[in-house]
Amino acid sequence: MTCLRWLPLVAAVCALSVGCAPGPHGDWPSSGQGIVISGVVIRNELPYTVTNVMIEVPATGGFAGCGNLLPDSDCSNTFQDRDYHANAMLIRWLEHGQPHQTDEFTPELPPGASAGDAFRVEVIIFAPGQAGARLVDARAERVRSH
């Protein structure tokens, strides 16, 4: 699998999660502390390569990404926990050279999540022109390689 090396990704995801303001979503902790993000996983479930996959947080200018994802593969990285307080994000990528992106969205917290819990952002390109993201428990089994 050909992916960008992760040093730029770590810096980008750190920027993605630092300095976020509380969002309007009632599911998020209302205290001064939100959850923490300790990694990112980007999965390509399509039968062909996708390129220039980026997770962006427009409110902060933060982003993270991967250059090339082969069919049925993923890129992942873990890093020091970073606070995150529910800013909307969007995902952009190319399929066969054609640009695609999601609308802005805020991932839902998993049931039972509370302030200070650690999660990974899991992005999945699951159908042509369609992608989404969710938060998964950072303590869950390590990401499997395809």
Side-chain angles (χ1 to χ4, degrees):
M1 167 175 55
T2 306
C3 289
L4 296 177
R5 287 288 146 226
W6 292 109
L7 184 56
L9 177 62
V10 170
V13 172
C14 290
L16 171 119
S17 58
V18 173
C20 300
H25 305 285
D27 294 67
W28 286 83
S30 58
S31 70
Q33 179 184 11
I35 62 162
V36 294
I37 301 296
S38 64
V40 62
V41 179
I42 303 173
R43 297 185 194 283
N44 175 16
E45 294 184 351
L46 300 177
Y48 47 84
T49 300
V50 295
T51 59
N52 299 336
V53 183
M54 296 297 291
I55 309 164
E56 300 177 16
V57 179
T60 66
F63 61 92
C66 185
N68 295 302
L69 280 169
L70 298 175
D72 195 32
S73 69
D74 60 61
C75 292
S76 65
N77 190 37
T78 59
F79 44 84
Q80 184 176 2
D81 293 351
R82 301 292 178 185
D83 290 331
Y84 178 70
H85 294 276
N87 279 336
M89 60 181 67
L90 63 89
I91 304 163
R92 297 179 197 266
W93 71 100
L94 298 175
E95 292 177 28
H96 304 296
Q98 297 299 310
H100 295 278
Q101 76 175 54
T102 65
D103 292 332
E104 287 187 24
F105 65 94
T106 301
E108 294 181 20
L109 280 176
S114 60
D117 287 350
F119 295 91
R120 290 187 312 238
V121 177
E122 180 181 52
V123 172
I124 302 172
I125 301 172
F126 58 89
Q130 297 185 31
R134 64 183 179 165
L135 299 173
V136 295
D137 190 330
R139 297 168 297 177
E141 182 180 334
R142 286 281 186 221
V143 177
R144 64 178 164 72
S145 294
H146 293 280

